[in-house]
Amino acid sequence: MLPERLHVPLQRHLKTVKAQHETDCAEGVRGVHLPGAIAEKSPNAATEWR
C-alpha cells in the first residue's frame, strides 16, 4: 500500500516520465533492453508505456 501523502508526488512523477516516453517514441527511440524470453513473449513491451 502506498501512503496517501505519496499519491500526488507519484502522479506528478509519472506524468513527467510519460511525457519523456512520448517524446522518445516520437523521436524514434527504439525502447529499452529486455531479456530474451520477455522480448519474445511480449514483442511490444520494450516501447509500451505500461
Side-chain angles (χ1 to χ4, degrees), residues 1 6 8-9 15 23 27 29-31 35 38 47:
M1 297 276 263
L6 296 180
V8 172
K15 184 178 178 181
T23 299
E27 292 177 356
V29 175
R30 297 177 123 187
I38 295 174
T47 56

Side-chain angles (χ1 to χ4, degrees), residues 4-15:
E4 279 289 324
R5 66 184 176 88
L6 296 180
H7 286 194
V8 172
L10 179 58
Q11 288 173 343
R12 194 173 332 144
H13 172 72
L14 290 175
K15 184 178 178 181

Side-chain angles (χ1 to χ4, degrees), residues 14-36:
L14 290 175
K15 184 178 178 181
T16 301
V17 174
K18 185 174 184 182
Q20 182 64 56
H21 170 76
E22 291 170 352
T23 299
D24 289 347
C25 289
E27 292 177 356
V29 175
R30 297 177 123 187
V32 297
H33 171 75
L34 296 173

